[in-house]
């Protein structure tokens, strides 16, 4: 029969990658909990409208990349393309703002975007996501960025660049947007790619971060947001930079950093690596002061980021898996119950091991024990059963001994 394959861009994560992912999640908990974050797990699917209103209908994510379908009642649902929208929905729906002044949520899990798969770009990928809802002060931006850099250093990631920009606010961005739009229109727009021709009308800032070299060259003298930021935005950005300077956190100002989601205001940032190919952005985020309001919540500020776990994994080596302590096998059918009981007892005593369920000859049991790479082979034949013993072989030095059942756990533990 024809084999069924996984969906393109959806991966199975076997032991090495799973161990690496578990390490990333555990490290994230350790670091983020130090900053007062708590964990929030939101659904993988939401009403499509949530993403349209938060991420923005003019973004690539909403226009081209969401997995959207109607449920049996004809309601439009989408698999989450990112975590922020769901976290904000949960915050508003549960009235969290009324209970706490500042809310810090950490989320991890799969996200879905229908992009062209390549190294570091999957259709189901995983994010570690943090949101800090409440503070409007620039120190909160600096704290989030510092926490991200601390986390990346904690997990052992080096040789990365932090890029910063300010995207302005509802006071200054509309005028800059208009200015940029007229500037773009004054160009020979035929040179721009099809996406940029469309974005020029709908979302002109996105033209700036188009990766097409010809578009970049054509727009290299475009007016910059930072030169047209209002006084408040300029002040905010200065404090963020000062706080990072005080901590010796290096950054580059990237005037073309716009981000692909429309909810950002003021500070936007990305962390980029040059060692993983074209998809070098390992984390990105920014401030989103109007977001909660746009989905029907109170007027409350916020800032957050997400790291792509697949991309972090490309920069790290999987931690070594621990060896099994034992491989246990019965040499004939009458001994199987005894072997089963011993295996259970060992695990309750915190030993790790597997049982070969088939009764085997000594030779074949030893072959299986070898394959399992366990430290000890535990074999049970009729004489062991009669004398309430276990035959235990140390697979590292080859020594072998009949050990009374009640001493087996300490024998294995001491031999470790
Ligand atoms: P984003 O830049 O779209 O931001 O994604 C954040 C990170 O997710 C990227 O830097 C990248 O590492 C990873 N990523 C994105 N798409 C893919 C993909 N197709 N395959 C593998 N990795 C991918 C957000 O999602 C915002 N929600 C971040 C945020 C949180 N802003 C505020 N709060």
């Amino acid at each position: 029969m024809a084999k069924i394959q996984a969906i393109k861009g959806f991966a199975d994560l076997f032991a090495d990658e799973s161990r690496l992912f578990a390490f990333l999640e555990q490290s994230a908990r350790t670091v983020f909990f130090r900053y007062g974050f708590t964990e929030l797990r939101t659904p993988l699917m939401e009403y499509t409208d949530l993403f349209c209103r938060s991420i923005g209908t003019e973004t690539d994510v909403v226009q081209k990349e969401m997995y959207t379908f109607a449920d049996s009642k004809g309601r439009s649902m989408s698999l989450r393309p990112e975590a922020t929208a769901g976290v904000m929905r949960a915050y508003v729906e549960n009235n969290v703002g009324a209970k706490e002044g500042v809310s810090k949520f950490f989320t991890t899990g799969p996200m879905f975007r229908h992009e062209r798969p390549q190294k570091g770009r999957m259709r189901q990928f995983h994010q570690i996501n943090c949101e800090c809802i409440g503070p409007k002060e620039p120190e909160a931006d600096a704290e989030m960025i510092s926490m991200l850099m601390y986390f990346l250093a904690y997990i052992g990631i080096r040789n990365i660049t932090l890029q910063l920009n300010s995207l302005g606010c509802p006071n200054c961005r509309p005028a800059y947007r208009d200015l940029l739009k007229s500037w773009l229109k004054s160009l020979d727009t035929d040179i721009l790619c099809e996406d940029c021709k469309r974005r020029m009308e709908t979302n002109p800032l996105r033209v700036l971060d188009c990766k097409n070299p010809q578009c970049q060259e054509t727009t290299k003298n475009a007016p910059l947001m930072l030169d047209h930021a209002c006084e408040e935005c300029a002040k905010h950005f200065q404090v963020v930079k000062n706080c990072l300077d005080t901590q010796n956190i290096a950054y580059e100002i990237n005037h073309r950093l716009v981000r692909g989601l429309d909810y950002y205001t003021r500070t936007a940032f990305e962390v980029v690596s040059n060692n993983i190919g074209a998809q070098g952005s390992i984390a990105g985020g920014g401030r989103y002061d109007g977001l909660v309001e746009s989905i029907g919540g109170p007027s409350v500020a916020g800032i957050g980021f997400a790291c792509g776990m697949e991309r972090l994994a490309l920069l790290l080596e999987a931690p070594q898996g621990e060896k099994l302590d034992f491989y246990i096998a019965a040499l004939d059918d009458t001994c199987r119950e005894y072997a089963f009981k011993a295996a259970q007892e060992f695990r309750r005593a915190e030993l790790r091991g597997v049982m070969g369920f088939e009764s085997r000859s000594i030779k074949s049991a030893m072959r299986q024990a070898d394959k399992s790479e366990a430290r000890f082979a535990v074999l049970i034949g009729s004489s062991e059963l009669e004398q309430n013993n276990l035959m235990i072989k140390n697979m590292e030095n080859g020594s072998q001994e009949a050990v009374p059942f009640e001493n087996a756990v300490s024998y294995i533990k001491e031999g470790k």
Side-chain angles (χ1 to χ4, degrees):
M1 223 188 294
K3 284 186 200 147
I4 297 176
Q5 295 184 325
I7 301 168
K8 192 173 168 202
F10 288 62
D12 302 307
L13 306 179
F14 281 95
D16 281 353
E17 269 175 300
S18 288
R19 228 180 294 116
L20 195 41
F21 273 42
F23 162 73
L24 292 175
E25 285 165 359
Q26 203 38 51
S27 306
R29 276 185 200 100
T30 304
V31 172
F32 302 156
F33 286 2
R34 287 182 193 167
Y35 287 77
F37 278 74
T38 58
E39 199 157 348
L40 171 63
R41 297 174 193 241
T42 62
L44 300 198
M45 193 159 75
E46 302 271 1
Y47 289 120
T48 304
D49 196 35
L50 172 68
F51 301 117
C52 295
R53 280 213 259 159
S54 52
I55 297 171
T57 46
E58 291 305 329
T59 55
D60 286 351
V61 171
V62 168
Q63 286 206 338
K64 306 186 205 162
E65 294 168 6
M66 285 208 300
Y67 284 88
T68 297
F69 40 85
D71 76 351
S72 57
K73 292 195 172 141
R75 293 171 298 199
S76 182
M77 314 271 178
S78 295
L79 294 181
R80 63 180 186 189
E82 54 113 55
T84 311
V87 172
M88 297 307 136
R89 196 248 332 116
Y91 174 86
V92 173
E93 190 171 347
N94 294 284
N95 211 9
V96 181
K99 297 172 212 151
E100 49 193 43
V102 175
S103 306
K104 292 180 163 184
F105 296 119
F106 149 63
T107 304
T108 169
M111 312 291 155
F112 305 86
R113 295 185 194 176
H114 194 273
E115 296 184 86
R116 195 171 48 77
Q118 65 179 103
K119 185 178 173 194
R121 188 160 72 190
M122 298 295 291
R123 289 181 173 168
Q124 176 178 317
F125 61 99
H126 298 75
Q127 283 186 343
I128 290 175
N129 184 86
C130 287
E131 311 293 354
C132 172
I133 314 168
K136 52 184 183 330
E137 293 76 14
E139 287 80 3
D141 309 33
E143 187 184 74
M144 283 302 260
I145 297 171
S146 312
M147 183 176 83
L148 170 61
M149 299 313 280
Y150 171 26
F151 169 66
L152 294 172
Y154 183 91
I155 59 175
I157 290 191
R158 320 250 175 268
N159 302 325
I160 44 178
T161 312
L162 166 65
Q163 301 187 343
L164 280 190
N165 195 13
S166 173
L167 298 174
C169 70
N171 284 336
C172 53
R173 189 158 51 192
Y176 168 69
R177 197 175 178 273
D178 289 346
L179 176 75
L180 180 63
K181 200 165 165 178
S182 3
W183 186 86
L184 289 169
K185 283 193 167 162
S186 72
L187 297 175
D188 174 7
T189 50
D190 275 351
I191 313 174
L192 296 177
C193 72
E194 287 310 309
D195 275 342
C196 282
K197 279 184 199 147
R198 181 173 48 81
R199 287 177 188 143
M200 212 168 78
E201 292 300 331
T202 56
N203 203 351
L205 269 76
R206 286 286 286 159
V207 175
L208 296 182
D209 78 351
C210 178
K211 302 292 177 275
N212 180 318
Q214 191 159 343
C215 296
Q216 285 188 357
E217 177 61 26
T218 314
T219 60
K220 68 172 189 245
N221 296 321
L224 305 175
M225 180 68 236
L226 277 173
D227 292 336
H228 296 86
C230 62
E231 208 186 316
E232 294 296 294
C233 283
K235 237 172 38 203
H236 188 100
F237 197 53
Q238 192 55 50
V239 177
V240 175
K241 287 190 294 179
N242 292 349
C243 287
L244 296 177
D245 291 340
T246 326
Q247 297 175 81
N248 295 322
I249 295 180
Y251 53 84
E252 278 175 7
I253 305 295
N254 177 358
H255 293 284
R256 288 175 173 266
L257 179 65
V258 174
R259 312 272 302 125
L261 312 152
D262 274 357
Y263 45 64
Y264 293 113
T265 51
R266 295 195 167 159
T267 317
F269 55 93
E270 263 179 36
V271 178
V272 182
S273 161
N274 289 324
N275 300 325
I276 51 171
Q279 301 305 317
S281 163
I282 58 171
R287 177 164 278 285
Y288 45 74
D289 291 348
L291 175 58
V292 175
E293 223 174 343
S294 74
I295 59 161
S299 163
V300 54
I303 177 151
F305 65 78
C307 306
M309 292 176 71
E310 281 76 4
R311 295 187 192 173
L312 297 182
L314 285 172
L315 290 165
L316 295 171
E317 287 202 3
Q320 282 282 319
E322 260 186 65
K323 271 192 161 187
L324 292 178
D325 295 312
F326 67 89
Y327 172 87
I328 191 165
L331 299 179
D332 69 55
D333 287 353
T334 58
C335 309
R336 285 157 70 138
E337 226 177 281
Y338 184 63
F340 193 85
K341 185 177 147 212
Q344 289 296 86
E345 199 102 325
F346 288 176
R347 291 167 185 141
R348 273 193 286 271
E350 297 181 8
L351 293 174
R352 299 173 64 239
V354 295
M355 172 165 172
F357 293 115
E358 236 175 282
S359 306
R360 297 179 180 276
S361 67
I362 292 191
K363 209 167 145 199
S364 124
M366 286 313 294
R367 238 193 335 263
Q368 294 304 315
D370 242 357
K371 258 195 195 166
S372 76
E373 295 183 7
R375 290 192 171 90
F376 291 89
V378 181
L379 303 184
I380 301 167
S382 44
S383 61
E384 282 78 29
L385 178 65
E386 268 163 34
Q387 292 159 29
N388 208 25
N389 279 345
L390 301 164
M391 182 56 69
I392 305 184
K393 178 169 181 176
N394 183 324
M395 301 298 281
E396 274 150 23
N397 64 19
S399 67
Q400 182 169 315
E401 229 176 295
V403 179
F405 188 95
E406 62 276 15
N407 297 343
V409 166
S410 48
Y411 184 89
I412 292 176
K413 282 192 172 170
E414 278 158 25
K416 263 174 116 175

